Amino acid sequence: MIPRKRIRNIGISAHIDSGKTTLSERILFYTGRIHAIEEVRGGGKGATMDYMPEEKLHGITITAAATTCQWHDTQINLIDTPGHVDFTIEVERSLRVLDGAVMVLCAVAGVQSQSITVDRQMKRYRVPRLAFINKMDRLGANPFQVIQAMRDRLQLNAVLLQHPIGSEEQFQGVIDLVEMMAHFFEGENGENWVKQPIPDALMEEAQQAREKLLDALSLFSEPMTEMLLAGEEIPQELIWATIRQATLSLELTPVLLGSAFKNKGVQNLLDAIALYLPSPLDRKVEGLGNSGPSLLGGVGIRGNGDWRTTNIQSLISDPNANLVALAFKLTVESFGQLTYTRIYSGTLKPGDTVYNSRTEQRVQIGRIVRMHANKREEVKMAVAGDIVALLGVDCASGDTLCTGEPLVSLEGMFIPEPVITLAVTPKKQEDSDRLSKALNRFQREDPTFRLSIDPESGATLISGMGELHLEIYLERIQREYNAEVYVGKPAVAYRETIGQRATFNYRLKKQSGGPGQYAHITGWIEPADEPFVFENRVVGGAIPKEYIPACEKGLREAMQSGMLEGYPVTGIKVVLEGGSYHPIDSSELAFRSAAHQALSNAIAKAKPYILEPIMLVEVETPNEFMGRVQGDLSSRRGLLLGSQTMQGYSVIRAQVPLARMFGYSCDLRSLTSGMATFTMEFACYRQSQS
């Protein structure tokens, strides 16, 4: 068994087309996991981690793929995540369970729109990261400009650990500023890692760069500060330890350089992963543990979906402790469900019985496998720190599996809301069942893929994060299920909200022979920054406590359909202040119905208005088309946020209503002779102007 301190659970994340999958392929090659390099768009078998047919077709990563490799005495459990914003849930749930990450940045484009999203996700889960500035061989490569952008746009304390030897076509290798050695990468695939003394022509630059590095590190180490003031030589071990300490505390982002495609700098990155990123022992993980009745004795520990009595449990990455594991991703296959699971403490073996803390049900563990992209290696057990997949376990993404007492529930993950909807209809009767199976499977696998029925037309609606997101699922419906469908025009996921405070005083009173219905509630609603806030201010038993959850349920049901166009309602705080009840005629159903009607009446008085999704659009275009692109974005009601001009091309950033962005890829190609590209991600909801 590998010591816990020698395990690294890491993810590779970046803006689309920054070279994540190419970098992953090199990591697998240099660690001996694969014996031949395949390129993402090389015309061959395709990169190892992009195994889906749709990934090979589109040349992008769609689903996060996991693998395990060995670098010297360190085991690296690696997840390669998508860069396209439509598949951001794959990044979200991967970062939720990883201990560290590598953020890949393009040496030419620097910090791009999805780089900002990935940075936000890493900060949300407090994941220490390294940065790898890739594509140093590209025309216009400028790592120092990228470093400054990381500081300005991401507010990261980015510090270069290396100095480049040449740039663009002349990029040959890097100078390690800790060891003060020049590193070159020779052989057909850069497998011959050669360390040489620093060339005389670069010695002065290297010395200056090392001084900057030591000055930045001295803020985190008093011994280093004292040695610098005394003019003493700083030992390598102290530099390594200081970088690691500051990285783990999220106060520093070490930056390395290279070109994954040209096989340069990847081995240095592997060394840095082992040196600076956390092991499972370094990460503090907490969960909610029950201190109430024992589930092991057959008595439930939760009531109405809430933990009755809880306390914070700090988890230890110890194979001998009680099991705590998080199911963070699942795929449904012909033989059953494959559940990707992170083990936080304890040991898991085939045949073990564990408990799902959400469902309060016992779960029997079948086979356990370690994943290598879409290939599986069966293992006899999984221990704290491992990332494995379980076959045949019925659970949902985000469920906690545990044993012993107290039972623990781990924090879930952030799920972004869909922004685009399509109507799908089977072409033939025999396609209907196959379509239903496909949609139910996809909804189970992907929390951002939603399935609903149009109440007016009865059409099946699918919702997702963007046009490409839904396009991929439509391709899979045809390829995997051999079902053909008609697809309606895209619809925008509008929302409704309120503009002012309004009160409600609603009394439900029905008497029609036999038991009646009585419920009376009072209170008010007002705009809120969160989607829904419920506050109970009922005192003196005006409404019995057992009816309060029914009131909240009725309020949530009323928010499913607004007063203007029937869109879901968001951004409302509801304060339940008082009311009355009848000892015989009052019931949960009565208070639920009263709350539903009370909120609908209050919304009508609170100046409701429609919100539309606004997208952050980033267009990369040759300079000669810049004015044309800006004018087109303005014509789409776009708010131009700024532009950045580089060698030969410009990057334009704007906020544009989603409703005006359908078909934009074709229009942009026409405007720029096919030479511009763009990315788009959800920014916010704003009052609709249309």
Side-chain angles (χ1 to χ4, degrees):
M1 184 185 297
I2 293 178
R4 303 298 91 194
K5 66 178 182 180
R6 301 310 312 164
I7 291 178
R8 301 290 181 268
N9 292 312
I10 67 162
I12 299 182
S13 304
H15 184 89
I16 189 171
D17 206 27
S18 293
K20 298 177 308 304
T21 303
T22 302
L23 177 61
S24 298
E25 190 80 358
R26 269 53 178 186
I27 287 175
L28 296 181
F29 178 75
Y30 297 131
T31 57
R33 195 67 173 79
I34 60 175
H35 303 291
I37 293 175
E38 295 286 349
E39 304 300 347
V40 176
R41 299 182 179 90
K45 295 187 299 182
T48 304
M49 304 298 272
D50 284 353
Y51 59 86
M52 291 176 62
E54 287 78 15
E55 292 177 316
K56 299 180 189 298
L57 175 65
H58 292 272
I60 62 172
T61 301
I62 293 171
T63 183
T67 189
T68 298
C69 54
Q70 192 87 12
W71 179 247
H72 302 318
D73 63 345
T74 301
Q75 176 181 307
I76 299 175
N77 299 324
L78 172 70
I79 296 181
D80 175 33
T81 64
H84 198 289
V85 68
D86 282 16
F87 311 104
T88 189
I89 186 61
E90 295 288 326
V91 187
E92 193 78 38
R93 55 187 172 189
S94 297
L95 290 174
R96 168 63 185 85
V97 299
L98 293 170
D99 299 323
V102 176
M103 172 184 275
V104 183
L105 298 160
C106 175
V108 181
V111 175
Q112 298 168 274
S113 58
Q114 190 65 3
S115 310
I116 298 173
T117 302
V118 166
D119 172 70
R120 186 164 57 243
Q121 291 169 319
M122 290 180 181
K123 288 173 178 172
R124 178 180 295 133
Y125 300 113
R126 296 186 60 77
V127 178
R129 97 279 296 269
L130 302 173
F132 183 72
I133 299 180
N134 194 26
K135 302 189 178 183
M136 283 292 297
D137 59 305
R138 286 259 314 264
L139 181 66
N142 187 338
F144 307 106
Q145 185 172 291
V146 178
I147 289 283
Q148 194 57 49
M150 292 176 67
R151 293 168 180 161
D152 295 341
R153 298 186 65 185
L154 304 180
Q155 284 75 55
L156 295 175
N157 184 14
V159 176
L160 263 175
L161 304 187
Q162 299 169 336
H163 188 74
I165 302 175
S167 64
E168 301 179 344
E169 291 183 356
Q170 303 304 314
F171 178 66
Q172 301 174 49
V174 296
I175 295 172
D176 187 315
L177 298 177
V178 179
E179 297 179 341
M180 287 303 282
M181 293 289 290
H183 293 221
F184 298 93
F185 306 88
E186 301 174 353
E188 184 179 350
N189 295 308
E191 62 270 25
N192 299 327
W193 183 15
V194 180
K195 300 181 184 181
Q196 297 177 357
I198 299 172
D200 293 339
L202 293 174
M203 181 58 77
E204 185 176 346
E205 288 182 23
Q207 289 286 5
Q208 292 174 356
R210 178 181 168 88
E211 288 175 10
K212 289 182 181 178
L213 170 62
L214 295 179
D215 283 344
L217 295 179
S218 65
L219 298 173
F220 308 104
S221 171
E222 288 187 13
M224 187 181 294
T225 303
E226 293 171 0
M227 295 177 76
L228 284 173
L229 292 174
E232 300 176 18
E233 184 65 26
I234 312 295
Q236 293 179 16
E237 290 74 14
L238 178 58
I239 300 176
W240 288 331
T242 304
I243 295 172
R244 178 176 174 79
Q245 169 201 333
T247 302
L248 298 190
S249 63
L250 306 179
E251 296 174 287
L252 184 75
T253 301
V255 182
L256 297 97
L257 310 173
S259 169
F261 185 68
K262 293 296 178 66
N263 311 304
K264 291 177 169 56
V266 180
Q267 294 95 323
N268 298 93
L269 176 63
L270 285 164
D271 268 356
I273 289 169
L275 276 170
Y276 307 130
L277 288 183
S279 73
L281 297 173
D282 297 313
R283 293 279 280 158
K284 182 180 179 182
V285 180
E286 294 181 336
L288 287 177
N290 77 297
S291 55
S294 170
L295 182 60
L296 301 178
V299 180
I301 59 172
R302 294 189 296 167
N304 296 320
D306 297 317
W307 294 87
R308 289 178 185 162
T309 51
T310 59
N311 60 333
I312 301 297
Q313 296 290 314
S314 293
L315 305 183
I316 302 172
S317 185
D318 180 0
N320 298 315
N322 289 334
L323 175 77
V324 178
L326 181 69
F328 66 94
K329 174 182 173 177
L330 57 88
T331 58
V332 180
E333 302 181 351
S334 56
F335 59 83
Q337 181 172 302
L338 185 68
T339 306
Y340 290 78
T341 306
R342 164 69 193 267
I343 313 293
Y344 283 100
S345 71
T347 299
L348 188 63
K349 297 179 181 178
D352 284 354
T353 297
V354 301
Y355 289 86
N356 184 324
S357 61
R358 177 184 63 87
T359 64
E360 304 179 2
Q361 300 295 317
R362 291 177 173 85
V363 177
Q364 183 84 26
I365 301 300
R367 294 166 57 199
I368 304 175
V369 296
R370 199 180 299 280
M371 300 300 296
H372 176 53
N374 60 335
K375 298 181 175 63
R376 302 172 185 136
E377 299 170 358
E378 193 156 350
V379 295
K380 297 303 181 186
M381 68 175 180
V383 299
D386 283 346
I387 294 177
V388 293
L390 311 178
L391 276 69
V393 172
D394 185 18
C395 66
S397 179
D399 282 357
T400 303
L401 306 177
C402 52
T403 60
E405 293 192 64
L407 295 183
V408 174
S409 180
L410 295 170
E411 179 188 3
M413 61 200 78
F414 172 77
I415 307 296
E417 288 296 315
V419 295
I420 183 174
T421 299
L422 295 176
V424 292
T425 308
K427 287 187 176 181
K428 301 186 290 290
Q429 182 61 40
E430 55 264 33
D431 291 328
S432 181
D433 287 344
R434 288 180 288 211
L435 174 63
S436 178
K437 287 180 182 178
L439 296 181
N440 285 315
R441 171 193 168 184
F442 298 153
Q443 182 177 230
R444 185 172 174 81
E445 292 181 348
D446 183 353
T448 61
F449 179 84
R450 306 287 173 83
L451 184 61
S452 59
I453 302 295
D454 187 326
E456 294 182 4
S457 66
T460 300
L461 304 178
I462 59 173
S463 302
M465 300 303 296
E467 288 182 277
L468 181 60
H469 187 209
L470 298 183
E471 179 186 330
I472 294 297
Y473 279 119
L474 292 172
E475 289 177 8
R476 291 182 62 187
I477 288 170
Q478 185 166 7
R479 180 179 62 83
E480 297 178 25
Y481 289 87
N482 196 29
E484 296 186 358
V485 298
Y486 295 108
V487 182
K489 291 183 179 180
V492 179
Y494 291 102
R495 295 288 185 269
E496 295 184 23
T497 191
I498 58 174
Q500 67 179 31
R501 174 171 163 152
T503 61
F504 57 84
N505 185 343
Y506 185 81
R507 189 186 309 270
L508 173 69
K509 189 174 181 180
K510 292 183 179 179
Q511 193 73 42
S512 56
Q517 294 283 338
Y518 182 89
H520 174 217
I521 63 171
T522 64
W524 72 86
I525 64 172
E526 61 188 17
D529 294 330
E530 299 178 44
F532 175 68
V533 180
F534 173 72
E535 186 175 331
N536 176 23
R537 294 190 185 177
V538 177
V539 295
I543 300 176
K545 289 183 179 179
E546 60 266 27
Y547 296 147
I548 300 299
C551 291
E552 183 176 355
K553 189 170 185 179
L555 295 170
R556 290 185 181 275
E557 289 174 349
M559 292 183 65
Q560 298 304 308
S561 179
M563 300 296 297
L564 299 175
E565 300 288 343
Y567 299 120
V569 181
T570 188
I572 290 186
K573 177 180 180 180
V574 182
V575 177
L576 184 61
E577 191 176 32
S580 60
Y581 73 102
H582 189 279
I584 297 175
D585 292 346
S586 289
S587 64
E588 288 188 1
L589 178 61
F591 274 96
R592 179 175 155 189
S593 301
H596 188 294
Q597 191 59 48
L599 183 59
S600 298
N601 295 346
I603 289 174
K605 299 187 295 181
K607 291 190 175 178
Y609 59 89
I610 292 177
L611 296 169
E612 64 178 339
I614 305 297
M615 311 303 287
L616 175 62
V617 180
E618 191 169 285
V619 183
E620 188 175 304
T621 176
N623 288 336
E624 61 263 33
F625 302 115
M626 182 176 175
R628 197 180 295 178
V629 171
Q630 287 179 325
D632 181 69
L633 289 172
S634 296
S635 72
R636 298 171 186 268
R637 293 196 286 120
L639 173 64
L640 297 176
L641 302 178
S643 61
Q644 183 179 6
T645 302
M646 302 180 190
Q647 290 187 351
Y649 72 94
S650 298
V651 177
I652 303 165
R653 300 176 71 245
Q655 286 187 345
V656 189
L658 174 62
R660 303 301 299 273
M661 289 300 294
F662 293 126
Y664 182 63
S665 56
C666 293
D667 295 342
L668 184 63
R669 280 197 292 268
S670 299
L671 284 171
T672 63
S673 302
M675 299 171 68
T677 60
F678 82 101
T679 58
M680 180 173 69
E681 65 176 303
F682 174 74
C684 61
Y685 271 99
R686 191 177 295 157
Q687 185 168 359
S688 175
Q689 303 299 315
S690 56

